[in-house]
mmCIF file of all heavy atoms in Angstrom:
data_model
loop_
_atom_site.group_PDB
_atom_site.id
_atom_site.type_symbol
_atom_site.label_atom_id
_atom_site.label_comp_id
_atom_site.label_asym_id
_atom_site.label_seq_id
_atom_site.Cartn_x
_atom_site.Cartn_y
_atom_site.Cartn_z
ATOM 1 N N MET A 17 0.833 -1.173 0.000
ATOM 2 C CA MET A 17 0.000 0.000 0.000
ATOM 3 C C MET A 17 0.883 1.244 0.000
ATOM 4 O O MET A 17 1.827 1.325 0.775
ATOM 5 C CB MET A 17 -0.898 -0.005 1.234
ATOM 6 C CG MET A 17 -1.788 1.210 1.300
ATOM 7 S SD MET A 17 -2.840 1.274 2.761
ATOM 8 C CE MET A 17 -3.965 -0.037 2.415
ATOM 9 N N ASN A 18 0.585 2.183 -0.880
ATOM 10 C CA ASN A 18 1.334 3.433 -0.947
ATOM 11 C C ASN A 18 0.704 4.490 -0.062
ATOM 12 O O ASN A 18 -0.512 4.545 0.092
ATOM 13 C CB ASN A 18 1.360 3.975 -2.379
ATOM 14 C CG ASN A 18 2.196 3.141 -3.299
ATOM 15 O OD1 ASN A 18 3.012 2.346 -2.870
ATOM 16 N ND2 ASN A 18 1.998 3.309 -4.578
ATOM 17 N N GLU A 19 1.543 5.343 0.486
ATOM 18 C CA GLU A 19 1.048 6.514 1.198
ATOM 19 C C GLU A 19 0.914 7.630 0.181
ATOM 20 O O GLU A 19 1.654 7.687 -0.800
ATOM 21 C CB GLU A 19 2.007 6.916 2.307
ATOM 22 C CG GLU A 19 2.081 5.893 3.425
ATOM 23 C CD GLU A 19 2.979 6.350 4.537
ATOM 24 O OE1 GLU A 19 4.185 6.492 4.294
ATOM 25 O OE2 GLU A 19 2.452 6.562 5.639
ATOM 26 N N ALA A 20 -0.037 8.508 0.401
ATOM 27 C CA ALA A 20 -0.291 9.579 -0.557
ATOM 28 C C ALA A 20 -0.384 10.915 0.157
ATOM 29 O O ALA A 20 -0.720 10.992 1.331
ATOM 30 C CB ALA A 20 -1.589 9.312 -1.309
ATOM 31 N N ILE A 21 -0.081 11.954 -0.599
ATOM 32 C CA ILE A 21 -0.276 13.322 -0.149
ATOM 33 C C ILE A 21 -1.285 13.933 -1.112
ATOM 34 O O ILE A 21 -1.079 13.911 -2.325
ATOM 35 C CB ILE A 21 1.032 14.125 -0.155
ATOM 36 C CG1 ILE A 21 2.056 13.481 0.775
ATOM 37 C CG2 ILE A 21 0.767 15.569 0.239
ATOM 38 C CD1 ILE A 21 3.427 14.120 0.716
ATOM 39 N N ILE A 22 -2.369 14.450 -0.558
ATOM 40 C CA ILE A 22 -3.404 15.078 -1.379
ATOM 41 C C ILE A 22 -3.244 16.584 -1.244
ATOM 42 O O ILE A 22 -3.215 17.121 -0.137
ATOM 43 C CB ILE A 22 -4.807 14.636 -0.921
ATOM 44 C CG1 ILE A 22 -4.917 13.118 -1.027
ATOM 45 C CG2 ILE A 22 -5.882 15.331 -1.745
ATOM 46 C CD1 ILE A 22 -6.172 12.547 -0.419
ATOM 47 N N ARG A 23 -3.128 17.242 -2.391
ATOM 48 C CA ARG A 23 -2.914 18.694 -2.384
ATOM 49 C C ARG A 23 -3.943 19.356 -3.294
ATOM 50 O O ARG A 23 -4.304 18.819 -4.330
ATOM 51 C CB ARG A 23 -1.525 19.045 -2.887
ATOM 52 C CG ARG A 23 -0.415 18.380 -2.114
ATOM 53 C CD ARG A 23 0.905 18.619 -2.816
ATOM 54 N NE ARG A 23 1.909 17.661 -2.434
ATOM 55 C CZ ARG A 23 2.970 17.953 -1.693
ATOM 56 N NH1 ARG A 23 3.161 19.158 -1.253
ATOM 57 N NH2 ARG A 23 3.838 17.027 -1.398
ATOM 58 N N ASP A 24 -4.343 20.551 -2.904
ATOM 59 C CA ASP A 24 -5.225 21.351 -3.734
ATOM 60 C C ASP A 24 -4.369 22.083 -4.757
ATOM 61 O O ASP A 24 -3.338 22.654 -4.419
ATOM 62 C CB ASP A 24 -5.995 22.342 -2.867
ATOM 63 C CG ASP A 24 -7.004 23.150 -3.662
ATOM 64 O OD1 ASP A 24 -7.539 22.623 -4.651
ATOM 65 O OD2 ASP A 24 -7.268 24.292 -3.272
ATOM 66 N N LEU A 25 -4.780 22.052 -6.011
ATOM 67 C CA LEU A 25 -3.977 22.659 -7.071
ATOM 68 C C LEU A 25 -3.897 24.171 -6.949
ATOM 69 O O LEU A 25 -2.814 24.745 -6.888
ATOM 70 C CB LEU A 25 -4.568 22.290 -8.442
ATOM 71 C CG LEU A 25 -3.904 22.931 -9.657
ATOM 72 C CD1 LEU A 25 -2.457 22.478 -9.786
ATOM 73 C CD2 LEU A 25 -4.682 22.614 -10.908
ATOM 74 N N LEU A 26 -5.039 24.797 -6.906
ATOM 75 C CA LEU A 26 -5.077 26.253 -6.998
ATOM 76 C C LEU A 26 -4.821 26.916 -5.657
ATOM 77 O O LEU A 26 -5.414 26.559 -4.649
ATOM 78 C CB LEU A 26 -6.418 26.702 -7.567
ATOM 79 C CG LEU A 26 -6.701 26.129 -8.955
ATOM 80 C CD1 LEU A 26 -8.060 26.561 -9.437
ATOM 81 C CD2 LEU A 26 -5.630 26.534 -9.935
ATOM 82 N N SER A 27 -3.932 27.874 -5.676
ATOM 83 C CA SER A 27 -3.514 28.661 -4.520
ATOM 84 C C SER A 27 -2.686 27.872 -3.516
ATOM 85 O O SER A 27 -2.224 28.430 -2.544
ATOM 86 C CB SER A 27 -4.714 29.299 -3.808
ATOM 87 O OG SER A 27 -5.396 30.157 -4.702
ATOM 88 N N THR A 28 -2.498 26.578 -3.735
ATOM 89 C CA THR A 28 -1.614 25.781 -2.887
ATOM 90 C C THR A 28 -0.347 25.439 -3.658
ATOM 91 O O THR A 28 0.755 25.634 -3.165
ATOM 92 C CB THR A 28 -2.309 24.489 -2.429
ATOM 93 O OG1 THR A 28 -3.491 24.840 -1.714
ATOM 94 C CG2 THR A 28 -1.405 23.659 -1.551
ATOM 95 N N LEU A 29 -0.520 24.921 -4.869
ATOM 96 C CA LEU A 29 0.626 24.580 -5.709
ATOM 97 C C LEU A 29 0.939 25.678 -6.718
ATOM 98 O O LEU A 29 2.039 25.746 -7.242
ATOM 99 C CB LEU A 29 0.380 23.263 -6.440
ATOM 100 C CG LEU A 29 0.266 22.040 -5.539
ATOM 101 C CD1 LEU A 29 -0.079 20.814 -6.359
ATOM 102 C CD2 LEU A 29 1.552 21.821 -4.768
ATOM 103 N N GLY A 30 -0.025 26.531 -6.997
ATOM 104 C CA GLY A 30 0.223 27.625 -7.920
ATOM 105 C C GLY A 30 -1.042 28.262 -8.421
ATOM 106 O O GLY A 30 -2.138 27.738 -8.257
ATOM 107 N N GLY A 31 -0.866 29.415 -9.038
ATOM 108 C CA GLY A 31 -1.909 30.113 -9.764
ATOM 109 C C GLY A 31 -3.260 30.229 -9.110
ATOM 110 O O GLY A 31 -3.421 30.086 -7.921
ATOM 111 N N ASP A 32 -4.238 30.528 -9.948
ATOM 112 C CA ASP A 32 -5.628 30.575 -9.529
ATOM 113 C C ASP A 32 -6.483 30.099 -10.701
ATOM 114 O O ASP A 32 -5.971 29.794 -11.768
ATOM 115 C CB ASP A 32 -6.032 31.969 -9.060
ATOM 116 C CG ASP A 32 -5.824 33.044 -10.115
ATOM 117 O OD1 ASP A 32 -6.010 32.762 -11.316
ATOM 118 O OD2 ASP A 32 -5.497 34.178 -9.739
ATOM 119 N N SER A 33 -7.781 30.049 -10.498
ATOM 120 C CA SER A 33 -8.648 29.481 -11.535
ATOM 121 C C SER A 33 -8.609 30.283 -12.830
ATOM 122 O O SER A 33 -8.746 29.729 -13.914
ATOM 123 C CB SER A 33 -10.086 29.361 -11.035
ATOM 124 O OG SER A 33 -10.603 30.624 -10.683
ATOM 125 N N HIS A 34 -8.398 31.582 -12.748
ATOM 126 C CA HIS A 34 -8.346 32.397 -13.963
ATOM 127 C C HIS A 34 -7.100 32.092 -14.789
ATOM 128 O O HIS A 34 -7.152 32.022 -16.004
ATOM 129 C CB HIS A 34 -8.415 33.879 -13.613
ATOM 130 C CG HIS A 34 -9.687 34.243 -12.922
ATOM 131 N ND1 HIS A 34 -10.907 34.231 -13.550
ATOM 132 C CD2 HIS A 34 -9.925 34.585 -11.635
ATOM 133 C CE1 HIS A 34 -11.856 34.565 -12.685
ATOM 134 N NE2 HIS A 34 -11.280 34.778 -11.518
ATOM 135 N N THR A 35 -5.961 31.893 -14.140
ATOM 136 C CA THR A 35 -4.745 31.574 -14.880
ATOM 137 C C THR A 35 -4.816 30.175 -15.472
ATOM 138 O O THR A 35 -4.279 29.925 -16.544
ATOM 139 C CB THR A 35 -3.482 31.692 -14.007
ATOM 140 O OG1 THR A 35 -3.560 30.777 -12.919
ATOM 141 C CG2 THR A 35 -3.301 33.096 -13.486
ATOM 142 N N LEU A 36 -5.523 29.274 -14.808
ATOM 143 C CA LEU A 36 -5.662 27.919 -15.327
ATOM 144 C C LEU A 36 -6.524 27.910 -16.577
ATOM 145 O O LEU A 36 -6.189 27.293 -17.582
ATOM 146 C CB LEU A 36 -6.243 26.999 -14.258
ATOM 147 C CG LEU A 36 -6.269 25.517 -14.574
ATOM 148 C CD1 LEU A 36 -4.860 24.996 -14.803
ATOM 149 C CD2 LEU A 36 -6.932 24.748 -13.452
ATOM 150 N N ILE A 37 -7.630 28.625 -16.546
ATOM 151 C CA ILE A 37 -8.532 28.688 -17.703
ATOM 152 C C ILE A 37 -7.853 29.383 -18.874
ATOM 153 O O ILE A 37 -8.037 29.006 -20.029
ATOM 154 C CB ILE A 37 -9.842 29.402 -17.317
ATOM 155 C CG1 ILE A 37 -10.637 28.515 -16.371
ATOM 156 C CG2 ILE A 37 -10.665 29.745 -18.549
ATOM 157 C CD1 ILE A 37 -11.843 29.186 -15.751
ATOM 158 N N ASN A 38 -7.048 30.394 -18.612
ATOM 159 C CA ASN A 38 -6.378 31.164 -19.671
ATOM 160 C C ASN A 38 -5.059 30.554 -20.114
ATOM 161 O O ASN A 38 -4.299 31.179 -20.832
ATOM 162 C CB ASN A 38 -6.149 32.602 -19.199
ATOM 163 C CG ASN A 38 -7.445 33.330 -18.977
ATOM 164 O OD1 ASN A 38 -8.421 33.109 -19.679
ATOM 165 N ND2 ASN A 38 -7.477 34.190 -17.987
ATOM 166 N N ASN A 39 -4.775 29.337 -19.684
ATOM 167 C CA ASN A 39 -3.530 28.644 -20.016
ATOM 168 C C ASN A 39 -2.290 29.410 -19.581
ATOM 169 O O ASN A 39 -1.246 29.325 -20.216
ATOM 170 C CB ASN A 39 -3.463 28.332 -21.515
ATOM 171 C CG ASN A 39 -4.520 27.350 -21.926
ATOM 172 O OD1 ASN A 39 -4.816 26.404 -21.203
ATOM 173 N ND2 ASN A 39 -5.112 27.565 -23.082
ATOM 174 N N ASN A 40 -2.400 30.178 -18.505
ATOM 175 C CA ASN A 40 -1.264 30.918 -17.948
ATOM 176 C C ASN A 40 -0.871 30.396 -16.579
ATOM 177 O O ASN A 40 -0.198 31.080 -15.820
ATOM 178 C CB ASN A 40 -1.607 32.407 -17.827
ATOM 179 C CG ASN A 40 -1.767 33.053 -19.173
ATOM 180 O OD1 ASN A 40 -1.064 32.726 -20.111
ATOM 181 N ND2 ASN A 40 -2.721 33.962 -19.277
ATOM 182 N N PHE A 41 -1.312 29.182 -16.249
ATOM 183 C CA PHE A 41 -1.021 28.625 -14.927
ATOM 184 C C PHE A 41 0.466 28.410 -14.755
ATOM 185 O O PHE A 41 1.147 27.909 -15.631
ATOM 186 C CB PHE A 41 -1.755 27.295 -14.740
ATOM 187 C CG PHE A 41 -1.507 26.667 -13.405
ATOM 188 C CD1 PHE A 41 -2.259 27.055 -12.308
ATOM 189 C CD2 PHE A 41 -0.528 25.713 -13.237
ATOM 190 C CE1 PHE A 41 -2.031 26.491 -11.060
ATOM 191 C CE2 PHE A 41 -0.299 25.142 -12.004
ATOM 192 C CZ PHE A 41 -1.047 25.528 -10.915
ATOM 193 N N LYS A 42 0.966 28.809 -13.600
ATOM 194 C CA LYS A 42 2.367 28.572 -13.246
ATOM 195 C C LYS A 42 2.410 28.045 -11.817
ATOM 196 O O LYS A 42 1.718 28.543 -10.938
ATOM 197 C CB LYS A 42 3.170 29.859 -13.348
ATOM 198 C CG LYS A 42 3.330 30.371 -14.768
ATOM 199 C CD LYS A 42 4.348 31.474 -14.814
ATOM 200 C CE LYS A 42 4.552 32.120 -16.151
ATOM 201 N NZ LYS A 42 4.011 31.634 -17.313
ATOM 202 N N PHE A 43 3.230 27.008 -11.621
ATOM 203 C CA PHE A 43 3.429 26.488 -10.278
ATOM 204 C C PHE A 43 4.234 27.485 -9.466
ATOM 205 O O PHE A 43 5.098 28.189 -9.995
ATOM 206 C CB PHE A 43 4.183 25.156 -10.324
ATOM 207 C CG PHE A 43 3.328 23.988 -10.722
ATOM 208 C CD1 PHE A 43 3.324 23.531 -12.028
ATOM 209 C CD2 PHE A 43 2.535 23.344 -9.788
ATOM 210 C CE1 PHE A 43 2.543 22.451 -12.396
ATOM 211 C CE2 PHE A 43 1.752 22.261 -10.140
ATOM 212 C CZ PHE A 43 1.751 21.814 -11.446
ATOM 213 N N PHE A 44 3.977 27.540 -8.157
ATOM 214 C CA PHE A 44 4.811 28.337 -7.272
ATOM 215 C C PHE A 44 6.224 27.756 -7.301
ATOM 216 O O PHE A 44 6.418 26.570 -7.591
ATOM 217 C CB PHE A 44 4.272 28.310 -5.842
ATOM 218 C CG PHE A 44 2.928 28.977 -5.685
ATOM 219 C CD1 PHE A 44 1.967 28.417 -4.857
ATOM 220 C CD2 PHE A 44 2.607 30.145 -6.350
ATOM 221 C CE1 PHE A 44 0.731 29.021 -4.692
ATOM 222 C CE2 PHE A 44 1.375 30.751 -6.199
ATOM 223 C CZ PHE A 44 0.432 30.187 -5.363
ATOM 224 N N ASP A 45 7.215 28.581 -7.012
ATOM 225 C CA ASP A 45 8.624 28.192 -7.134
ATOM 226 C C ASP A 45 8.961 26.872 -6.444
ATOM 227 O O ASP A 45 9.697 26.065 -6.983
ATOM 228 C CB ASP A 45 9.538 29.287 -6.585
ATOM 229 C CG ASP A 45 9.541 30.537 -7.450
ATOM 230 O OD1 ASP A 45 9.161 30.442 -8.640
ATOM 231 O OD2 ASP A 45 9.920 31.600 -6.939
ATOM 232 N N GLN A 46 8.449 26.633 -5.273
ATOM 233 C CA GLN A 46 8.809 25.427 -4.523
ATOM 234 C C GLN A 46 7.870 24.249 -4.745
ATOM 235 O O GLN A 46 8.113 23.159 -4.231
ATOM 236 C CB GLN A 46 8.886 25.751 -3.029
ATOM 237 C CG GLN A 46 10.055 26.646 -2.682
ATOM 238 C CD GLN A 46 11.380 26.005 -3.083
ATOM 239 O OE1 GLN A 46 11.625 24.834 -2.837
ATOM 240 N NE2 GLN A 46 12.242 26.784 -3.711
ATOM 241 N N ALA A 47 6.804 24.450 -5.506
ATOM 242 C CA ALA A 47 5.804 23.393 -5.664
ATOM 243 C C ALA A 47 6.365 22.153 -6.359
ATOM 244 O O ALA A 47 6.199 21.031 -5.875
ATOM 245 C CB ALA A 47 4.590 23.914 -6.415
ATOM 246 N N VAL A 48 7.006 22.324 -7.497
ATOM 247 C CA VAL A 48 7.512 21.174 -8.255
ATOM 248 C C VAL A 48 8.601 20.431 -7.475
ATOM 249 O O VAL A 48 8.543 19.200 -7.378
ATOM 250 C CB VAL A 48 7.976 21.588 -9.668
ATOM 251 C CG1 VAL A 48 8.647 20.437 -10.382
ATOM 252 C CG2 VAL A 48 6.784 22.094 -10.475
ATOM 253 N N PRO A 49 9.582 21.127 -6.892
ATOM 254 C CA PRO A 49 10.572 20.395 -6.084
ATOM 255 C C PRO A 49 9.937 19.629 -4.924
ATOM 256 O O PRO A 49 10.375 18.518 -4.603
ATOM 257 C CB PRO A 49 11.518 21.485 -5.581
ATOM 258 C CG PRO A 49 11.405 22.579 -6.583
ATOM 259 C CD PRO A 49 9.971 22.535 -7.035
ATOM 260 N N GLU A 50 8.913 20.185 -4.304
ATOM 261 C CA GLU A 50 8.238 19.483 -3.209
ATOM 262 C C GLU A 50 7.509 18.246 -3.707
ATOM 263 O O GLU A 50 7.529 17.197 -3.065
ATOM 264 C CB GLU A 50 7.266 20.417 -2.482
ATOM 265 C CG GLU A 50 7.953 21.452 -1.626
ATOM 266 C CD GLU A 50 8.751 20.841 -0.487
ATOM 267 O OE1 GLU A 50 8.327 19.819 0.081
ATOM 268 O OE2 GLU A 50 9.808 21.391 -0.161
ATOM 269 N N LEU A 51 6.857 18.339 -4.874
ATOM 270 C CA LEU A 51 6.198 17.171 -5.461
ATOM 271 C C LEU A 51 7.221 16.095 -5.803
ATOM 272 O O LEU A 51 6.993 14.902 -5.564
ATOM 273 C CB LEU A 51 5.407 17.572 -6.711
ATOM 274 C CG LEU A 51 4.171 18.434 -6.479
ATOM 275 C CD1 LEU A 51 3.663 19.005 -7.788
ATOM 276 C CD2 LEU A 51 3.086 17.644 -5.764
ATOM 277 N N GLN A 52 8.352 16.511 -6.367
ATOM 278 C CA GLN A 52 9.414 15.563 -6.712
ATOM 279 C C GLN A 52 9.985 14.899 -5.458
ATOM 280 O O GLN A 52 10.211 13.689 -5.440
ATOM 281 C CB GLN A 52 10.524 16.277 -7.488
ATOM 282 C CG GLN A 52 10.097 16.690 -8.869
ATOM 283 C CD GLN A 52 11.116 17.585 -9.564
ATOM 284 O OE1 GLN A 52 11.868 18.320 -8.930
ATOM 285 N NE2 GLN A 52 11.114 17.527 -10.889
ATOM 286 N N LYS A 53 10.194 15.678 -4.410
ATOM 287 C CA LYS A 53 10.736 15.139 -3.160
ATOM 288 C C LYS A 53 9.779 14.111 -2.560
ATOM 289 O O LYS A 53 10.208 13.047 -2.101
ATOM 290 C CB LYS A 53 10.978 16.279 -2.177
ATOM 291 C CG LYS A 53 11.623 15.856 -0.883
ATOM 292 C CD LYS A 53 11.891 17.074 -0.008
ATOM 293 C CE LYS A 53 12.529 16.672 1.299
ATOM 294 N NZ LYS A 53 12.774 17.837 2.156
ATOM 295 N N ALA A 54 8.496 14.411 -2.585
ATOM 296 C CA ALA A 54 7.506 13.468 -2.064
ATOM 297 C C ALA A 54 7.529 12.173 -2.866
ATOM 298 O O ALA A 54 7.511 11.075 -2.295
ATOM 299 C CB ALA A 54 6.114 14.091 -2.093
ATOM 300 N N ALA A 55 7.591 12.282 -4.194
ATOM 301 C CA ALA A 55 7.629 11.090 -5.050
ATOM 302 C C ALA A 55 8.889 10.274 -4.798
ATOM 303 O O ALA A 55 8.833 9.038 -4.738
ATOM 304 C CB ALA A 55 7.528 11.495 -6.520
ATOM 305 N N GLU A 56 10.024 10.946 -4.647
ATOM 306 C CA GLU A 56 11.286 10.252 -4.379
ATOM 307 C C GLU A 56 11.247 9.494 -3.047
ATOM 308 O O GLU A 56 11.949 8.502 -2.881
ATOM 309 C CB GLU A 56 12.439 11.252 -4.371
ATOM 310 C CG GLU A 56 12.773 11.803 -5.741
ATOM 311 C CD GLU A 56 13.713 13.003 -5.691
ATOM 312 O OE1 GLU A 56 14.128 13.421 -4.581
ATOM 313 O OE2 GLU A 56 14.000 13.551 -6.770
ATOM 314 N N ASN A 57 10.426 9.981 -2.129
ATOM 315 C CA ASN A 57 10.302 9.340 -0.819
ATOM 316 C C ASN A 57 9.144 8.346 -0.769
ATOM 317 O O ASN A 57 8.738 7.909 0.311
ATOM 318 C CB ASN A 57 10.161 10.392 0.277
ATOM 319 C CG ASN A 57 11.478 11.089 0.554
ATOM 320 O OD1 ASN A 57 12.441 10.441 0.949
ATOM 321 N ND2 ASN A 57 11.532 12.383 0.319
ATOM 322 N N GLY A 58 8.624 7.968 -1.932
ATOM 323 C CA GLY A 58 7.631 6.921 -2.018
ATOM 324 C C GLY A 58 6.181 7.343 -1.870
ATOM 325 O O GLY A 58 5.301 6.493 -1.784
ATOM 326 N N PHE A 59 5.931 8.641 -1.838
ATOM 327 C CA PHE A 59 4.566 9.115 -1.718
ATOM 328 C C PHE A 59 3.920 9.272 -3.092
ATOM 329 O O PHE A 59 4.578 9.665 -4.053
ATOM 330 C CB PHE A 59 4.504 10.467 -0.991
ATOM 331 C CG PHE A 59 4.808 10.376 0.470
ATOM 332 C CD1 PHE A 59 6.106 10.508 0.927
ATOM 333 C CD2 PHE A 59 3.796 10.150 1.386
ATOM 334 C CE1 PHE A 59 6.392 10.420 2.276
ATOM 335 C CE2 PHE A 59 4.068 10.064 2.732
ATOM 336 C CZ PHE A 59 5.377 10.200 3.189
ATOM 337 N N LEU A 60 2.650 8.980 -3.165
ATOM 338 C CA LEU A 60 1.865 9.221 -4.361
ATOM 339 C C LEU A 60 1.310 10.635 -4.244
ATOM 340 O O LEU A 60 0.699 10.985 -3.229
ATOM 341 C CB LEU A 60 0.727 8.208 -4.443
ATOM 342 C CG LEU A 60 -0.231 8.330 -5.601
ATOM 343 C CD1 LEU A 60 0.489 8.091 -6.921
ATOM 344 C CD2 LEU A 60 -1.355 7.312 -5.432
ATOM 345 N N ASN A 61 1.535 11.472 -5.248
ATOM 346 C CA ASN A 61 1.010 12.834 -5.248
ATOM 347 C C ASN A 61 -0.360 12.826 -5.901
ATOM 348 O O ASN A 61 -0.502 12.444 -7.064
ATOM 349 C CB ASN A 61 1.932 13.776 -6.036
ATOM 350 C CG ASN A 61 3.192 14.098 -5.288
ATOM 351 O OD1 ASN A 61 3.148 14.601 -4.179
ATOM 352 N ND2 ASN A 61 4.326 13.802 -5.894
ATOM 353 N N ILE A 62 -1.367 13.254 -5.157
ATOM 354 C CA ILE A 62 -2.717 13.387 -5.692
ATOM 355 C C ILE A 62 -3.055 14.872 -5.657
ATOM 356 O O ILE A 62 -3.002 15.512 -4.607
ATOM 357 C CB ILE A 62 -3.733 12.581 -4.866
ATOM 358 C CG1 ILE A 62 -3.353 11.098 -4.907
ATOM 359 C CG2 ILE A 62 -5.152 12.819 -5.381
ATOM 360 C CD1 ILE A 62 -4.188 10.224 -4.007
ATOM 361 N N ILE A 63 -3.378 15.414 -6.828
ATOM 362 C CA ILE A 63 -3.675 16.841 -6.938
ATOM 363 C C ILE A 63 -5.141 16.987 -7.317
ATOM 364 O O ILE A 63 -5.601 16.399 -8.289
ATOM 365 C CB ILE A 63 -2.761 17.508 -7.981
ATOM 366 C CG1 ILE A 63 -1.299 17.323 -7.569
ATOM 367 C CG2 ILE A 63 -3.117 18.981 -8.129
ATOM 368 C CD1 ILE A 63 -0.293 17.764 -8.604
ATOM 369 N N ILE A 64 -5.864 17.771 -6.522
ATOM 370 C CA ILE A 64 -7.292 17.955 -6.738
ATOM 371 C C ILE A 64 -7.615 19.436 -6.860
ATOM 372 O O ILE A 64 -6.787 20.293 -6.560
ATOM 373 C CB ILE A 64 -8.103 17.350 -5.580
ATOM 374 C CG1 ILE A 64 -7.743 18.038 -4.264
ATOM 375 C CG2 ILE A 64 -7.879 15.851 -5.475
ATOM 376 C CD1 ILE A 64 -8.667 17.716 -3.122
ATOM 377 N N THR A 65 -8.839 19.725 -7.293
ATOM 378 C CA THR A 65 -9.349 21.089 -7.262
ATOM 379 C C THR A 65 -10.850 21.033 -7.073
ATOM 380 O O THR A 65 -11.501 20.071 -7.474
ATOM 381 C CB THR A 65 -8.980 21.881 -8.529
ATOM 382 O OG1 THR A 65 -9.395 23.243 -8.345
ATOM 383 C CG2 THR A 65 -9.620 21.307 -9.769
ATOM 384 N N SER A 66 -11.381 22.048 -6.448
ATOM 385 C CA SER A 66 -12.824 22.137 -6.259
ATOM 386 C C SER A 66 -13.440 23.168 -7.201
ATOM 387 O O SER A 66 -14.578 23.555 -7.034
ATOM 388 C CB SER A 66 -13.143 22.488 -4.799
ATOM 389 O OG SER A 66 -12.581 23.757 -4.495
ATOM 390 N N GLN A 67 -12.678 23.616 -8.172
ATOM 391 C CA GLN A 67 -13.139 24.626 -9.105
ATOM 392 C C GLN A 67 -13.928 23.978 -10.242
ATOM 393 O O GLN A 67 -13.361 23.593 -11.256
ATOM 394 C CB GLN A 67 -11.944 25.421 -9.651
ATOM 395 C CG GLN A 67 -11.056 26.010 -8.596
ATOM 396 C CD GLN A 67 -11.764 27.044 -7.771
ATOM 397 O OE1 GLN A 67 -12.505 27.860 -8.289
ATOM 398 N NE2 GLN A 67 -11.536 27.026 -6.468
ATOM 399 N N SER A 68 -15.233 23.864 -10.091
ATOM 400 C CA SER A 68 -16.052 23.142 -11.065
ATOM 401 C C SER A 68 -16.059 23.796 -12.431
ATOM 402 O O SER A 68 -16.213 23.111 -13.452
ATOM 403 C CB SER A 68 -17.476 22.998 -10.553
ATOM 404 O OG SER A 68 -18.085 24.277 -10.408
ATOM 405 N N HIS A 69 -15.875 25.105 -12.527
ATOM 406 C CA HIS A 69 -15.928 25.772 -13.823
ATOM 407 C C HIS A 69 -14.747 25.419 -14.718
ATOM 408 O O HIS A 69 -14.807 25.626 -15.924
ATOM 409 C CB HIS A 69 -16.039 27.294 -13.654
ATOM 410 C CG HIS A 69 -14.865 27.904 -12.968
ATOM 411 N ND1 HIS A 69 -14.727 27.905 -11.587
ATOM 412 C CD2 HIS A 69 -13.789 28.531 -13.458
ATOM 413 C CE1 HIS A 69 -13.613 28.521 -11.276
ATOM 414 N NE2 HIS A 69 -13.019 28.909 -12.394
ATOM 415 N N ILE A 70 -13.702 24.827 -14.164
ATOM 416 C CA ILE A 70 -12.553 24.426 -14.957
ATOM 417 C C ILE A 70 -12.961 23.336 -15.967
ATOM 418 O O ILE A 70 -12.501 23.309 -17.090
ATOM 419 C CB ILE A 70 -11.399 23.930 -14.061
ATOM 420 C CG1 ILE A 70 -10.850 25.126 -13.288
ATOM 421 C CG2 ILE A 70 -10.309 23.246 -14.856
ATOM 422 C CD1 ILE A 70 -9.859 24.755 -12.220
ATOM 423 N N ALA A 71 -13.852 22.480 -15.571
ATOM 424 C CA ALA A 71 -14.299 21.382 -16.446
ATOM 425 C C ALA A 71 -15.013 21.907 -17.682
ATOM 426 O O ALA A 71 -15.094 21.209 -18.695
ATOM 427 C CB ALA A 71 -15.213 20.449 -15.683
ATOM 428 N N HIS A 72 -15.521 23.098 -17.637
ATOM 429 C CA HIS A 72 -16.278 23.651 -18.755
ATOM 430 C C HIS A 72 -15.391 24.281 -19.817
ATOM 431 O O HIS A 72 -15.871 24.661 -20.870
ATOM 432 C CB HIS A 72 -17.307 24.653 -18.252
ATOM 433 C CG HIS A 72 -18.278 24.050 -17.297
ATOM 434 N ND1 HIS A 72 -19.268 23.197 -17.707
ATOM 435 C CD2 HIS A 72 -18.379 24.138 -15.954
ATOM 436 C CE1 HIS A 72 -19.962 22.807 -16.662
ATOM 437 N NE2 HIS A 72 -19.431 23.351 -15.584
ATOM 438 N N GLU A 73 -14.131 24.422 -19.549
ATOM 439 C CA GLU A 73 -13.202 25.018 -20.526
ATOM 440 C C GLU A 73 -12.467 23.931 -21.208
ATOM 441 O O GLU A 73 -11.519 23.510 -21.267
ATOM 442 C CB GLU A 73 -12.281 26.017 -19.839
ATOM 443 C CG GLU A 73 -12.992 27.241 -19.353
ATOM 444 C CD GLU A 73 -13.510 28.117 -20.471
ATOM 445 O OE1 GLU A 73 -12.859 28.256 -21.522
ATOM 446 O OE2 GLU A 73 -14.608 28.662 -20.301
#
């Protein structure tokens, strides 16, 4: 069984819903290294969002 870290995409790992819809999303500087570090240590990274309007774009 793998351990997982669940993270919210928007405002936690980077950007906001407007930048995601406009294809201008950028991860915060430390987000990608933290995701990589978690993966290297055997964690499954699960990224979620509660922004329902994203599905419509």
Side-chain angles (χ1 to χ4, degrees):
M17 179 181 290
N18 290 343
E19 293 183 295
I21 300 174
I22 301 172
R23 304 171 201 250
D24 184 31
L25 176 63
L26 301 178
S27 300
T28 301
L29 295 176
D32 58 35
S33 60
H34 298 291
T35 61
L36 188 61
I37 290 171
N38 295 326
N39 294 321
N40 293 324
F41 180 84
K42 292 191 183 351
F43 283 98
F44 294 140
D45 291 340
Q46 291 301 314
V48 173
E50 287 297 324
L51 291 168
Q52 290 171 332
K53 184 177 180 181
E56 289 168 0
N57 286 299
F59 289 90
L60 178 64
N61 286 303
I62 299 174
I63 301 172
I64 61 168
T65 186
S66 62
Q67 307 295 318
S68 63
H69 63 278
I70 291 171
H72 301 287
E73 292 292 323

